[in-house]
């Protein structure tokens, strides 16, 4: 097994965290720098309908944040506790996710599956992730031999991997952000689609991330959103 020439790696930062792709053989927690996660992508095929679109996550890159004041204001409000920031760097943005390894003989099948699953505005990209290995990963000699070949980041000290990821860019037709948390929560609290309730999407994402004990990072935006959605649901 080699990390980059045999099979593919796929990054999950939303529903793929709790509903993984088929045929994966390894799942490793990871941190992505240079992006913030937001529920600013509409969903008409999974957690909503064309008449009542739901909300699902996408990744907003550093360059878009810096050139769009409302994106930067949202980052400041939730990730920076409302404190003004004058020089936001890519490494100031970190998002928890997981990467999955798909063996070469299943790679084409999984790509086709994900192309359908992520078709509502998402496109395929490559990003660099910093692996956050667990004890069980460390006991897999074949995996560790492959990961040993990867470069180690000089700042984080973590092994770095380039992986496939589906992102709803700010220019795609399903992008609805920026919304306030109150606006997003009001949609998530009540919407339902073919894949289930919008609330369950958020709940399962938050619960899955909470169970990832190896990651030191937290997602303040998700914490605020989950709290607001529950507040709204309590009034229904």
């Amino acid at each position: 097994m080699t990390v980059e020439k045999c099979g593919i790696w796929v990054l999950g930062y939303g529903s793929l965290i709790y509903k993984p792709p088929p045929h994966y053989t390894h799942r490793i927690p990871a941190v992505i720098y240079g992006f913030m996660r937001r529920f600013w992508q509409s969903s008409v095929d999974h957690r909503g309908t064309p008449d009542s679109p739901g909300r699902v996550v996408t990744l907003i890159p550093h360059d878009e944040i810096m050139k769009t004041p409302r994106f930067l204001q949202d980052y400041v409000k939730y990730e920076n506790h409302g404190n003004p920031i004058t020089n936001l760097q890519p490494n100031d943005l970190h998002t928890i996710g997981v990467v999955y390894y798909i063996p070469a003989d299943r790679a084409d099948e999984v790509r086709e599956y994900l192309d359908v699953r992520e078709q509502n505005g998402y496109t395929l990209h490559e990003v660099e992730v910093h692996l956050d290995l667990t004890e069980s990963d460390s006991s897999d000699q074949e995996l560790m031999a492959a990961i040993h070949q990867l470069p180690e980041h000089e700042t984080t000290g973590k092994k770095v991997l380039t992986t496939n990821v589906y992102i709803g860019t700010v220019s795609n037709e399903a992008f609805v952000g920026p919304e306030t948390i109150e606006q997003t929560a009001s949609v998530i609290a009540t919407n339902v689609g073919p894949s289930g309730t919008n609330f369950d999407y958020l709940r399962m994402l938050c619960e899955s991330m909470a169970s990832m004990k190896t990651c030191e990072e937290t997602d303040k935006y998700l914490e605020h959103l989950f709290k607001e959605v529950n507040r709204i649901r309590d009034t229904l």
Side-chain angles (χ1 to χ4, degrees):
M1 174 185 177
T2 59
V3 169
E4 297 195 349
K5 294 183 179 179
C6 183
I8 60 172
W9 290 86
V10 177
L11 170 67
Y13 60 91
S15 63
L16 281 173
I17 292 181
Y18 62 82
K19 186 181 179 182
H23 308 304
Y24 76 91
T25 57
H26 296 91
R27 177 186 190 271
I28 305 174
V31 180
I32 315 108
Y33 291 90
F35 296 86
M36 70 180 187
R37 173 173 35 211
R38 289 294 184 268
F39 268 81
W40 290 351
Q41 184 80 355
S42 68
S43 175
V44 301
D45 58 345
H46 284 297
R47 300 293 172 170
T49 65
D51 292 334
S52 183
R55 295 290 184 270
V56 289
V57 291
T58 188
L59 295 176
I60 314 297
H62 174 263
D63 60 341
E64 294 291 347
I65 294 170
M66 294 307 296
K67 69 182 183 183
T68 309
R70 288 185 63 191
F71 292 175
L72 182 58
Q73 290 167 9
D74 203 81
Y75 170 84
V76 166
K77 183 173 183 179
Y78 297 107
E79 279 83 354
N80 211 47
H81 310 290
N83 299 316
I85 189 166
T86 57
N87 189 26
L88 181 69
Q89 298 297 311
N91 283 348
D92 294 328
L93 303 166
H94 16 87
T95 301
I96 302 168
V98 294
V99 288
Y100 298 96
Y101 179 72
I102 313 297
D105 62 340
R106 295 289 192 172
D108 289 342
E109 177 185 350
V110 172
R111 282 194 189 98
E112 291 176 4
Y113 163 82
L114 291 173
D115 284 345
V116 173
R117 176 170 166 175
E118 308 293 338
Q119 64 184 335
N120 188 195
Y122 291 92
T123 48
L124 188 60
H125 303 264
E126 288 188 342
V127 297
E128 180 182 274
V129 300
H130 297 233
L131 302 180
D132 205 344
L133 298 169
T134 66
E135 289 186 10
S136 61
D137 295 325
S138 300
S139 66
D140 187 325
Q141 294 183 356
E142 183 184 21
L143 175 65
M144 292 308 297
I147 288 177
H148 182 71
Q149 305 168 32
L150 296 172
E152 187 174 282
H153 196 271
E154 59 182 13
T155 301
T156 67
K158 298 180 187 297
K159 292 292 186 178
V160 176
L161 174 73
T162 298
T163 179
N164 296 296
V165 61
Y166 288 83
I167 298 174
T169 64
V170 300
S171 60
N172 89 87
E173 62 183 13
F175 186 74
V176 297
E179 290 183 321
T180 67
I181 270 191
E182 292 76 19
Q183 290 171 321
T184 306
S186 67
V187 174
I188 294 174
T190 58
N191 261 64
V192 181
S195 295
T197 68
N198 210 164
F199 171 72
D200 278 344
Y201 177 108
L202 171 63
R203 177 185 59 78
M204 289 187 286
L205 174 58
C206 291
E207 289 176 352
S208 296
M209 288 181 53
S211 70
M212 293 165 59
K213 303 297 185 183
T214 58
C215 286
E216 299 174 356
E217 310 291 342
T218 58
D219 193 316
K220 297 301 183 185
Y221 168 83
L222 281 187
E223 291 175 359
H224 282 277
L225 179 59
F226 193 41
K227 182 178 180 180
E228 178 62 16
V229 171
N230 279 306
R231 185 194 68 78
I232 293 173
R233 285 170 55 85
D234 287 342
T235 66
L236 298 178

